[in-house]
Amino acid sequence: MSEPIADLRPLAFADLAGWRDATLAPTFRAFRRAAPVRLARPPRTKALGIDGAALAAAAEAALRLPGEADEATARAFFETRFTPFDVRPRAGDPFLTGYFEPELDGTRRAGDPRFPVPLLRRPDDLVDLDDRTRPAGFDPAYAFARRAADGLVPFFDRGEIEDGALATRGLELVFLADPVDAFFVHVQGSVRVRLAEGGVMRLAYAGKAGHPYTSIGRVAIERGLIAADDMSLDVLRAWLKAHPTEARALMRRNRSYVFFAEQEGLDDALGAVAASRVQLTPGISLAVDRTLHTFGVPIFLDADLPLGPEGEVVAFRRLMLAEDTGSAIVGPARGDVFVGCGVEAGRAAGRLRHTPKAFVVLAPKREDAP
């Protein structure tokens, strides 16, 4: 039997530092808004053992309360139906980063010289892999493969795709102006595109080539291109745009390549539809390790984060919802805070690389489960 990856220590809400200072009504509204999805497709219980059936039962209970429940109602809901567990990783420390939904100019029309960089839809020969379907000898880090005449093989990587491996297949969804901006759309996993022909197009993650994710920021630090103390999303983006030849090679170090799907009829106040099949809520949705955390579980964070109006560090005591995931989000107390959409959200997300004082999972009480 493998060793546990984390210790979960039960707490009382009265003993949870920062809990009394947290505003819970916005989180309750987001939890309730996602409830129909949780009931239609109950979350799968993942490795940390948070019961998906009990979480679906809590979602059903949330629907019996008013959609605009006040703070007292929201607090009573979470304190009655959940038990807090402090997550203590066996290795490493809790860690938080931020992500956002970029907003860029582009066009659906091929051939416009202002917009030469395509974002691609998912190819029909891209196959999801798991422990049951992965061929013998296939790298276990690969979650996708390509269906070929003689079986499953690794899919093309970033460099091969940029060099034209898929160029004749009509996969282009939209075209952007700048390869650096397109690269960061791949990292963030969604985008709003202001179309030159009018309107806004929204895209979100639909799969990837399968190669492991490599942080080019870490590579840039290792090579001495950017000092570790200076590293941020804005600094990295500025360096890449100032050094286009070197940038192309550096970005190709991240062999992972993301495919997208258009999403229509979304609420403009919310983010894209995420891995948990609900739209992301700025400041409340959290990306987590999907192999460990059950989607939809509330997670309380107590941290000091640079999310003030001018980037100043402020107290962040927030009940989040585990609603998304990402290749770089690995570990039981690793979270990626969805900050919002646009340039300012991007700046805020890029500053966020902090260790929280508390990473607490709220487990639904099992007696609520059928």
Side-chain angles (χ1 to χ4, degrees):
M1 180 179 292
S2 61
E3 287 293 318
I5 195 170
D7 295 314
L8 272 62
R9 182 171 63 92
L11 300 170
F13 283 106
D15 298 328
L16 182 54
W19 175 254
R20 301 308 306 176
D21 300 325
T23 301
L24 304 181
T27 306
F28 174 80
R29 288 193 287 271
F31 185 88
R32 188 181 186 278
R33 185 169 58 243
V37 175
R38 306 287 177 246
L39 292 173
R41 189 171 180 174
R44 292 175 56 193
T45 301
K46 298 298 180 65
L48 289 184
I50 304 303
D51 192 317
L55 197 60
E60 185 176 25
L63 289 174
R64 296 196 292 266
L65 295 172
E68 295 299 319
D70 59 19
E71 183 65 20
T73 301
R75 186 168 294 276
F77 173 81
F78 288 114
E79 292 184 353
T80 301
R81 294 189 172 273
F82 293 84
T83 301
F85 286 85
D86 184 26
V87 180
R88 300 287 182 90
R90 290 288 182 92
D93 296 316
F95 192 62
L96 299 176
T97 50
Y99 73 117
F100 72 109
E101 185 177 14
E103 190 169 15
L104 300 168
D105 293 327
T107 181
R108 294 180 187 267
R109 300 168 183 160
D112 188 327
R114 298 172 299 170
F115 303 108
V117 185
L119 298 178
L120 305 183
R121 66 171 50 87
R122 178 176 175 140
D124 58 9
D125 56 349
L126 183 68
V127 178
D128 295 69
L129 295 180
D130 55 29
D131 291 340
R132 180 180 56 83
T133 60
R134 187 175 290 107
F138 215 90
D139 188 335
Y142 283 57
F144 295 87
R146 180 167 62 92
R147 186 187 301 108
D150 54 351
L152 296 178
V153 299
F155 207 86
F156 305 113
D157 68 7
R158 175 175 298 278
E160 292 170 320
I161 293 171
E162 290 179 350
D163 286 341
L166 302 176
T168 62
R169 296 175 57 175
L171 299 176
E172 297 82 4
L173 281 166
V174 71
F175 297 85
L176 305 179
D178 186 87
V180 174
D181 290 337
F183 177 86
F184 284 110
V185 170
H186 283 233
V187 174
Q188 302 302 323
S190 65
V191 64
R192 302 186 192 203
V193 182
R194 298 181 296 261
L195 296 170
E197 54 270 32
V200 174
M201 180 183 192
R202 297 185 70 176
L203 302 179
Y205 171 92
K208 59 184 180 180
H211 301 276
Y213 175 85
T214 297
S215 168
I216 66 167
R218 185 176 298 114
V219 175
I221 291 171
E222 292 171 352
R223 291 183 177 178
L225 305 176
I226 301 173
D229 291 344
D230 295 334
M231 178 58 73
S232 71
L233 189 62
D234 281 348
V235 169
L236 178 59
R237 181 187 285 110
W239 188 95
L240 293 170
K241 291 196 174 190
H243 303 83
T245 302
E246 298 93 330
R248 184 169 183 265
L250 182 60
M251 290 187 292
R252 287 187 174 199
R253 284 291 306 275
N254 180 21
R255 299 177 66 203
S256 177
Y257 189 95
V258 171
F259 302 105
F260 295 89
E262 184 172 3
Q263 296 185 342
E264 298 178 316
L266 302 186
D267 185 335
D268 287 342
L270 301 176
V273 176
S276 67
R277 302 176 184 270
V278 300
Q279 277 193 260
L280 297 167
T281 303
I284 290 176
S285 295
L286 188 70
V288 295
D289 188 333
R290 68 181 303 162
T291 68
L292 302 175
H293 289 281
T294 303
F295 276 145
V297 66
I299 297 176
F300 178 70
L301 301 178
D302 181 5
D304 296 321
L305 302 180
L307 294 177
E310 301 298 326
E312 65 265 32
V313 173
V314 296
F316 186 87
R317 291 163 175 169
R318 188 74 55 84
L319 185 60
M320 312 288 287
L321 298 175
E323 294 184 326
D324 205 4
T325 192
S327 299
I329 313 305
V330 178
R334 176 72 172 88
D336 204 18
V337 177
F338 179 66
V339 179
C341 173
V343 174
E344 290 305 316
R347 292 197 179 104
R351 292 190 295 263
L352 208 164
R353 295 181 60 83
H354 291 68
T355 298
K357 292 178 280 190
F359 191 105
V360 178
V361 169
L362 268 59
K365 295 180 178 178
R366 293 179 186 271
E367 57 263 30
D368 286 342

